[in-house]
Amino acid sequence: MAAPKRKKSKAKTAMRKAQWYKKLNIPGISLCPECGQPKKPHRVCPHCGYYKDKEVVEVI
């Protein structure tokens, strides 16, 4: 098995690992136009039940 000829610097290691850390971020959160609560994009608002200015789910 081949071994590296030189030691990788801390900067090079951090650059390589930085791409992996980007994938751990939380997906974007948008505000509901009806109630203003935060919600995931392209999903029904869990607080008021609206999606694209229409009430889709009745929330109790």
Side-chain angles (χ1 to χ4, degrees):
M1 185 186 228
K5 296 220 179 220
R6 302 213 185 275
K7 179 183 177 185
K8 290 279 186 188
S9 68
K10 292 177 187 176
K12 288 288 184 184
T13 304
M15 272 192 270
R16 187 181 70 247
K17 290 183 177 184
Q19 298 300 316
W20 184 78
Y21 288 124
K22 285 182 185 177
K23 295 178 185 177
L24 295 179
N25 291 342
I26 298 172
I29 296 199
S30 60
L31 295 177
C32 176
E34 291 294 321
C35 64
Q37 294 290 328
K39 69 173 192 73
K40 291 184 179 180
H42 308 289
R43 286 169 179 78
V44 176
C45 178
H47 302 285
C48 64
Y50 273 76
Y51 181 70
K52 290 190 177 181
D53 301 328
K54 295 178 189 172
E55 187 175 7
V56 181
V57 179
E58 186 176 328
V59 179
I60 298 172

